[in-house]
Amino acid sequence: MENQGNKIINIAIVDDQLLFRQGLASLIADVPGFHLLLEAETGKGILDQLKHASQLPDILLMDMKLTDLNGPELNAILQKEVPAVKVIVVSIYDQERLIYRMIEAGACGYLVKNCDKQELVTAINNTMQTGFYFNYSTMKAMRNAAAHKNQSLRNINHIPIELTEREEEVLKLICREFTNAEVAAQLSISIRTAEGHRNNLLLKTGCKNTAGLVVFAIRNGLFEVDL
């Protein structure tokens, strides 16, 4: 297990179970390139630390059920106040409706607490590299949710979203976990142009982050989940 990138990844943990929190902290300490920046047992505790932190974490590992705030409540505040922090949910709950709800609301990944150490490391690395980590359970939850959605949802406030052919190409590559550099190489464009297409997609769709773009693509039939 190791950090695949060159950059130090700063990580925060919020979980009200001391033993589990200590276990995560120990795991993080064992991975070169990972650094535990903050930890708290309550939602208000982590929010206070983030508010006064001289440096924000790159990744926040968040439990779904805390003593003061639940996952959706805390995530909503985080998305509003510190949108640059990428949230990965680590929870005992594996219901598809909860997984879909959290991803649609801006979380970049969802893991159950019985996942192995390697998957957690992979989730953190992938989220840093591509903006999200969706495992089999997450993709299945999104596919099943999309099957029950009206496929005419490609709009914001009932205004149709028009994507160019190139934007759809970029979106499909994003769904396949391509980085900006890999998108650029695949389409023979510059990295800056690839970044521009990604930003345009975020603006047009109203998605909060790259994970949201994947949700949008699946929900609107632009990307099929092969499970």
Side-chain angles (χ1 to χ4, degrees), residues 51-138:
K51 181 178 179 180
H52 296 95
S54 58
Q55 179 182 11
L56 288 176
D58 300 299
I59 301 285
L60 173 60
L61 302 177
M62 183 185 78
D63 191 11
M64 273 288 285
K65 187 175 182 181
L66 303 168
T67 55
D68 55 349
L69 296 171
N70 63 34
E73 290 170 339
L74 178 56
N75 184 60
I77 297 171
L78 292 167
Q79 296 300 329
K80 180 179 179 180
E81 296 187 357
V82 284
V85 177
K86 297 174 175 63
V87 174
I88 298 176
V89 177
V90 185
S91 172
I92 62 170
Y93 302 107
D94 61 357
Q95 293 95 328
E96 288 188 355
R97 63 180 180 82
L98 290 177
I99 296 173
Y100 183 81
R101 179 182 179 186
M102 292 302 294
I103 298 298
E104 190 174 40
C108 297
Y110 195 111
L111 300 173
V112 292
K113 286 188 174 181
N114 68 350
C115 72
D116 61 29
K117 296 178 180 179
Q118 183 57 57
E119 183 174 19
L120 179 63
V121 173
T122 299
I124 291 171
N125 282 326
N126 281 24
T127 299
M128 285 299 297
Q129 293 166 12
T130 68
F132 67 98
Y133 171 74
F134 293 166
N135 58 15
Y136 175 87
S137 296
T138 305

